[in-house]
Amino acid sequence: MNRTRLAALAFLVTPALAVGPAAAVHASTGVAPGATSRAVCHVEKESNGKYHVWGMGFPGGTKVTYSGSSSGTVSTSKTGRFDLGGLSGSKWVVKTPNGKTTVTCTKMMMNH
C-alpha cells in the first residue's frame, strides 16, 4: 500500500486515545446489530520496522483479543473497528470474546 493510499485511508478514520501497545480505536461505518460478521484484519510493516494491525467488521463496542508476537485485548469502536501500532511480528490472529469469529490478519505490502 503506498503512502497516497494510506493518506486516503487516514482520511476515512479518526484515531482516538491510545490503549495498550500504541492502540487506537477508529470510527467509521460498521456491521449492523444482528448482521452476519464480515470481520477482516490487515497487517503491514511500517517504515520504522514495526507492524501496524487494524481490523473492521467486529462487534461494536466490545473487546477483541489479538495474538502474535504478543497478545492482549483492544476495544472496538461502536462500529467494530480497531487499530494497533508499534507491534513486532507480522503474523496476527484476532478473536471475538464469544469465540464465534477468529480472523487471521492478511499481510499487506507497502510501496516506498
Side-chain angles (χ1 to χ4, degrees):
M1 182 180 293
N2 62 33
R3 292 290 174 191
T4 303
R5 210 160 158 205
L6 281 176
L9 178 63
F11 177 75
L12 296 174
V13 293
T14 307
L17 296 174
V19 180
V25 177
H26 292 285
S28 183
T29 59
V31 176
T36 303
S37 173
R38 292 189 176 192
V40 296
C41 179
H42 300 286
V43 61
E44 71 181 341
K45 191 170 187 177
E46 296 290 340
S47 59
N48 65 1
K50 296 290 185 175
Y51 289 87
H52 176 218
V53 176
W54 73 96
M56 61 187 126
F58 291 90
T62 63
K63 292 187 181 220
V64 294
T65 59
Y66 60 91
S67 59
S69 60
S70 63
S71 62
T73 60
V74 63
S75 296
T76 62
S77 68
K78 291 179 185 176
T79 58
R81 291 179 153 283
F82 73 89
D83 192 356
L84 299 164
L87 301 168
S88 59
S90 62
K91 295 182 181 182
W92 296 91
V93 174
V94 179
K95 297 179 183 179
T96 56
N98 62 10
K100 290 185 178 181
T101 304
T102 299
V103 179
T104 299
C105 300
T106 304
K107 189 172 182 181
M108 300 184 74
M109 303 303 284
M110 288 182 62
N111 297 325
H112 293 287

